[in-house]
Amino acid sequence: MKFFKVIGTAILLALLIASIVLTLAAGALRFIVLNPAYIKAFMPTKTYCAEMRERLSEDLEHVALLYGVNGDALKEVVTDDAIHAYTDRVIDALFAENATVPLALPAYPADEFVRFARAHTAFGEEGVRDFSEDCAQAVTEDLSAINTDLIVKPFLELRNNTFSKSALILFVAGLLLTLILLIFLRMMYTGKSRRAGSVVIWGGIFMGITVVFVPVMQFLLFGYVERLNLTVSAFRTALTGYLNTVLYGCFLALLGLELLTFLLLLIAIARAAHGKKGKKA
């Protein structure tokens, strides 16, 4: 009887780990990787805006040099709020149902550059218009740097593949399968073996989360995103900003589940050990 119980436990644990991996992968894809609300909320951080403004300053200084304008004063025209707003537009376009390659993006508004030119230069209306349009074009190119076939096409293919479209269904199905497997495991360990069953259950859940958590943690520990072989540019800032947002979101969610499960596993082990001591006494 014990032999069949061991075999059944091993099979159920293997299925439990697989179902947890499926649930977490589908959940991460649905609620983090392909969630525009999450990306817009956490991608344009202060660090991201600071790096992007640095890239913008370089191009705007080039435009200022061509027009004989003080480039240092031009740096303050594009604010963090403006970068945040335009980044949201890029993300909305990336997740739009009718998204194409390349994305159809609006030009960065030139109004602030018009006001700057009128306040700090002696240009006529035509000069003001030309200057502000060149500045707006430079900002548009930087803030929409990921709008290339290299990024947009693979992303749209990822978003439109069968697994991604079914991510929510797979998440719910995996969650239900996990609950059913937990019920089966609980039914195998009743009465005197109930505490041992708790160790098996929480241990299986912990192992399932760890299977997903370890590769994500490895990406962070070894800094794979920062080590991308790309020159310092607005493209690199935008791409690494998106990847880091997704990676850190997955990491924090998995870390919370890992710590909670580990704590519950320790409690289950302590209760099981206490039960054995009681029997010996």
Side-chain angles (χ1 to χ4, degrees):
M1 190 66 179
K2 287 185 178 180
F3 174 77
F4 290 108
K5 190 173 184 178
V6 171
I7 296 298
T9 299
I11 294 173
L12 287 176
L13 277 178
L15 293 174
L16 178 63
I17 292 172
S19 68
I20 290 174
V21 171
L22 173 64
T23 303
L24 292 176
L29 190 64
R30 173 63 181 83
F31 299 111
I32 296 179
V33 179
L34 298 179
N35 184 358
Y38 167 79
I39 302 298
K40 288 194 291 186
F42 294 100
M43 178 177 166
T45 60
K46 289 184 178 181
T47 301
Y48 172 85
C49 291
E51 289 184 8
M52 189 60 77
R53 288 185 69 182
E54 188 175 347
R55 305 285 82 79
L56 291 172
S57 296
E58 295 173 0
D59 290 336
L60 289 176
E61 282 180 3
H62 178 69
V63 175
L65 182 63
L66 294 176
Y67 284 87
V69 177
N70 182 7
D72 292 334
L74 193 58
K75 292 179 182 179
E76 305 302 322
V77 176
V78 182
T79 63
D80 288 356
D81 290 339
I83 293 175
H84 199 300
Y86 196 85
T87 302
D88 287 352
R89 290 186 179 183
V90 175
I91 294 170
D92 286 336
L94 197 59
F95 284 92
E97 289 296 330
N98 58 346
T100 57
V101 182
L103 302 173
L105 293 173
Y108 184 86
D111 298 343
E112 292 298 325
F113 295 110
V114 170
R115 283 191 280 270
F116 172 86
R118 287 174 177 169
H120 295 84
T121 69
F123 297 154
E125 284 303 312
E126 184 176 354
V128 168
R129 185 179 67 252
D130 292 342
F131 171 76
S132 58
E133 288 178 354
D134 286 346
C135 289
Q137 182 180 356
V139 174
T140 301
E141 291 175 355
D142 284 342
L143 294 182
S144 61
I146 60 171
N147 189 17
T148 64
D149 293 356
L150 181 65
I151 300 299
V152 177
K153 187 175 180 180
F155 180 84
L156 294 181
E157 290 175 353
L158 170 65
R159 198 190 69 184
N160 295 323
N161 66 31
T162 304
F163 184 80
S164 298
K165 287 184 175 181
S166 307
L168 183 58
I169 297 174
L170 291 173
F171 173 76
V172 175
L175 195 59
L176 291 175
L177 178 59
T178 299
L179 292 175
I180 292 172
L181 292 170
L182 291 175
I183 292 172
F184 285 164
L185 278 170
R186 176 55 69 187
M187 290 172 63
M188 289 182 63
Y189 291 88
T190 57
K192 295 180 180 180
S193 62
R194 189 176 182 85
R195 292 185 177 182
S198 296
V199 176
V200 172
I201 288 173
W202 289 114
I205 296 174
F206 179 76
M207 286 189 292
I209 297 173
T210 302
V211 170
V212 184
F213 176 71
V214 168
V216 174
M217 182 181 65
Q218 186 177 10
F219 262 83
L220 282 175
L221 288 177
F222 289 93
Y224 289 133
V225 173
E226 284 72 19
R227 290 163 60 183
L228 286 174
N229 189 21
L230 297 171
T231 57
V232 176
S233 61
F235 174 79
R236 188 182 191 281
T237 299
L239 180 59
T240 57
Y242 179 84
L243 294 176
N244 278 325
T245 300
V246 169
L247 190 60
Y248 276 101
C250 293
F251 173 77
L252 292 175
L254 291 170
L255 179 62
L257 291 173
E258 189 87 341
L259 293 176
L260 176 61
T261 308
F262 183 67
L263 177 61
L264 294 173
L265 176 59
L266 289 179
I267 294 173
I269 292 173
R271 291 184 63 191
H274 179 73
K276 288 183 178 180
K277 289 179 181 180
K279 289 179 180 179
K280 289 180 180 180

mmCIF file of all heavy atoms in Angstrom, residues 187-204:
data_model
loop_
_atom_site.group_PDB
_atom_site.id
_atom_site.type_symbol
_atom_site.label_atom_id
_atom_site.label_comp_id
_atom_site.label_asym_id
_atom_site.label_seq_id
_atom_site.Cartn_x
_atom_site.Cartn_y
_atom_site.Cartn_z
ATOM 1 N N MET A 187 -6.461 14.120 -0.239
ATOM 2 C CA MET A 187 -7.229 12.891 -0.028
ATOM 3 C C MET A 187 -6.325 11.688 0.224
ATOM 4 O O MET A 187 -6.724 10.732 0.892
ATOM 5 C CB MET A 187 -8.131 12.622 -1.238
ATOM 6 C CG MET A 187 -9.280 13.605 -1.383
ATOM 7 S SD MET A 187 -10.180 13.403 -2.939
ATOM 8 C CE MET A 187 -10.807 11.736 -2.733
ATOM 9 N N MET A 188 -5.104 11.729 -0.318
ATOM 10 C CA MET A 188 -4.171 10.620 -0.110
ATOM 11 C C MET A 188 -3.574 10.636 1.290
ATOM 12 O O MET A 188 -3.117 9.607 1.791
ATOM 13 C CB MET A 188 -3.034 10.685 -1.146
ATOM 14 C CG MET A 188 -3.457 10.347 -2.560
ATOM 15 S SD MET A 188 -2.062 10.392 -3.704
ATOM 16 C CE MET A 188 -1.036 9.077 -3.038
ATOM 17 N N TYR A 189 -3.555 11.810 1.892
ATOM 18 C CA TYR A 189 -2.952 11.947 3.230
ATOM 19 C C TYR A 189 -4.023 12.402 4.213
ATOM 20 O O TYR A 189 -4.281 13.596 4.373
ATOM 21 C CB TYR A 189 -1.795 12.948 3.189
ATOM 22 C CG TYR A 189 -0.598 12.465 2.413
ATOM 23 C CD1 TYR A 189 -0.510 12.687 1.044
ATOM 24 C CD2 TYR A 189 0.427 11.779 3.044
ATOM 25 C CE1 TYR A 189 0.594 12.232 0.321
ATOM 26 C CE2 TYR A 189 1.527 11.327 2.338
ATOM 27 C CZ TYR A 189 1.601 11.555 0.978
ATOM 28 O OH TYR A 189 2.701 11.097 0.264
ATOM 29 N N THR A 190 -4.662 11.451 4.820
ATOM 30 C CA THR A 190 -5.701 11.746 5.795
ATOM 31 C C THR A 190 -5.332 11.134 7.143
ATOM 32 O O THR A 190 -4.428 10.291 7.238
ATOM 33 C CB THR A 190 -7.057 11.181 5.329
ATOM 34 O OG1 THR A 190 -6.913 9.766 5.106
ATOM 35 C CG2 THR A 190 -7.518 11.857 4.050
ATOM 36 N N GLY A 191 -6.040 11.524 8.167
ATOM 37 C CA GLY A 191 -5.813 10.947 9.488
ATOM 38 C C GLY A 191 -4.435 11.259 10.028
ATOM 39 O O GLY A 191 -4.012 12.412 10.112
ATOM 40 N N LYS A 192 -3.711 10.210 10.390
ATOM 41 C CA LYS A 192 -2.400 10.375 11.014
ATOM 42 C C LYS A 192 -1.357 10.971 10.071
ATOM 43 O O LYS A 192 -0.365 11.553 10.515
ATOM 44 C CB LYS A 192 -1.902 9.030 11.544
ATOM 45 C CG LYS A 192 -2.762 8.467 12.670
ATOM 46 C CD LYS A 192 -2.218 7.143 13.153
ATOM 47 C CE LYS A 192 -3.079 6.580 14.293
ATOM 48 N NZ LYS A 192 -2.548 5.275 14.779
ATOM 49 N N SER A 193 -1.540 10.779 8.771
ATOM 50 C CA SER A 193 -0.545 11.278 7.800
ATOM 51 C C SER A 193 -0.904 12.665 7.264
ATOM 52 O O SER A 193 -0.313 13.123 6.290
ATOM 53 C CB SER A 193 -0.414 10.292 6.638
ATOM 54 O OG SER A 193 -1.653 10.185 5.947
ATOM 55 N N ARG A 194 -1.876 13.308 7.883
ATOM 56 C CA ARG A 194 -2.329 14.615 7.398
ATOM 57 C C ARG A 194 -1.213 15.660 7.431
ATOM 58 O O ARG A 194 -1.056 16.450 6.506
ATOM 59 C CB ARG A 194 -3.518 15.080 8.230
ATOM 60 C CG ARG A 194 -4.213 16.314 7.680
ATOM 61 C CD ARG A 194 -5.442 16.660 8.505
ATOM 62 N NE ARG A 194 -6.142 17.815 7.953
ATOM 63 C CZ ARG A 194 -7.035 17.760 6.989
ATOM 64 N NH1 ARG A 194 -7.337 16.593 6.453
ATOM 65 N NH2 ARG A 194 -7.628 18.848 6.538
ATOM 66 N N ARG A 195 -0.424 15.669 8.507
ATOM 67 C CA ARG A 195 0.660 16.656 8.614
ATOM 68 C C ARG A 195 1.750 16.385 7.583
ATOM 69 O O ARG A 195 2.327 17.326 7.015
ATOM 70 C CB ARG A 195 1.244 16.632 10.018
ATOM 71 C CG ARG A 195 0.263 17.154 11.067
ATOM 72 C CD ARG A 195 0.891 17.235 12.448
ATOM 73 N NE ARG A 195 -0.029 17.807 13.413
ATOM 74 C CZ ARG A 195 0.259 18.035 14.679
ATOM 75 N NH1 ARG A 195 1.468 17.719 15.149
ATOM 76 N NH2 ARG A 195 -0.636 18.565 15.487
ATOM 77 N N ALA A 196 2.037 15.129 7.330
ATOM 78 C CA ALA A 196 3.006 14.802 6.277
ATOM 79 C C ALA A 196 2.482 15.238 4.915
ATOM 80 O O ALA A 196 3.241 15.698 4.051
ATOM 81 C CB ALA A 196 3.288 13.296 6.284
ATOM 82 N N GLY A 197 1.164 15.098 4.732
ATOM 83 C CA GLY A 197 0.557 15.556 3.478
ATOM 84 C C GLY A 197 0.720 17.049 3.267
ATOM 85 O O GLY A 197 0.918 17.516 2.142
ATOM 86 N N SER A 198 0.647 17.824 4.345
ATOM 87 C CA SER A 198 0.843 19.276 4.235
ATOM 88 C C SER A 198 2.249 19.602 3.746
ATOM 89 O O SER A 198 2.446 20.514 2.930
ATOM 90 C CB SER A 198 0.593 19.940 5.589
ATOM 91 O OG SER A 198 -0.750 19.784 5.987
ATOM 92 N N VAL A 199 3.232 18.829 4.229
ATOM 93 C CA VAL A 199 4.614 19.035 3.784
ATOM 94 C C VAL A 199 4.734 18.734 2.291
ATOM 95 O O VAL A 199 5.372 19.466 1.532
ATOM 96 C CB VAL A 199 5.583 18.145 4.591
ATOM 97 C CG1 VAL A 199 7.005 18.289 4.053
ATOM 98 C CG2 VAL A 199 5.536 18.514 6.065
ATOM 99 N N VAL A 200 4.099 17.636 1.872
ATOM 100 C CA VAL A 200 4.135 17.250 0.449
ATOM 101 C C VAL A 200 3.474 18.328 -0.412
ATOM 102 O O VAL A 200 4.006 18.731 -1.460
ATOM 103 C CB VAL A 200 3.428 15.898 0.246
ATOM 104 C CG1 VAL A 200 3.298 15.586 -1.249
ATOM 105 C CG2 VAL A 200 4.192 14.790 0.948
ATOM 106 N N ILE A 201 2.327 18.810 0.020
ATOM 107 C CA ILE A 201 1.582 19.801 -0.768
ATOM 108 C C ILE A 201 2.358 21.113 -0.895
ATOM 109 O O ILE A 201 2.571 21.622 -2.007
ATOM 110 C CB ILE A 201 0.202 20.050 -0.122
ATOM 111 C CG1 ILE A 201 -0.696 18.841 -0.342
ATOM 112 C CG2 ILE A 201 -0.446 21.307 -0.697
ATOM 113 C CD1 ILE A 201 -2.015 18.902 0.403
ATOM 114 N N TRP A 202 2.782 21.661 0.250
ATOM 115 C CA TRP A 202 3.492 22.943 0.184
ATOM 116 C C TRP A 202 4.863 22.791 -0.472
ATOM 117 O O TRP A 202 5.341 23.712 -1.133
ATOM 118 C CB TRP A 202 3.627 23.544 1.582
ATOM 119 C CG TRP A 202 2.321 24.032 2.116
ATOM 120 C CD1 TRP A 202 1.621 23.542 3.172
ATOM 121 C CD2 TRP A 202 1.529 25.103 1.584
ATOM 122 N NE1 TRP A 202 0.437 24.235 3.340
ATOM 123 C CE2 TRP A 202 0.364 25.202 2.383
ATOM 124 C CE3 TRP A 202 1.689 25.976 0.518
ATOM 125 C CZ2 TRP A 202 -0.626 26.148 2.138
ATOM 126 C CZ3 TRP A 202 0.708 26.929 0.271
ATOM 127 C CH2 TRP A 202 -0.430 27.008 1.081
ATOM 128 N N GLY A 203 5.474 21.622 -0.318
ATOM 129 C CA GLY A 203 6.737 21.373 -1.010
ATOM 130 C C GLY A 203 6.555 21.337 -2.511
ATOM 131 O O GLY A 203 7.376 21.875 -3.264
ATOM 132 N N GLY A 204 5.463 20.714 -2.971
ATOM 133 C CA GLY A 204 5.186 20.681 -4.408
ATOM 134 C C GLY A 204 4.913 22.065 -4.974
ATOM 135 O O GLY A 204 5.395 22.422 -6.052
#
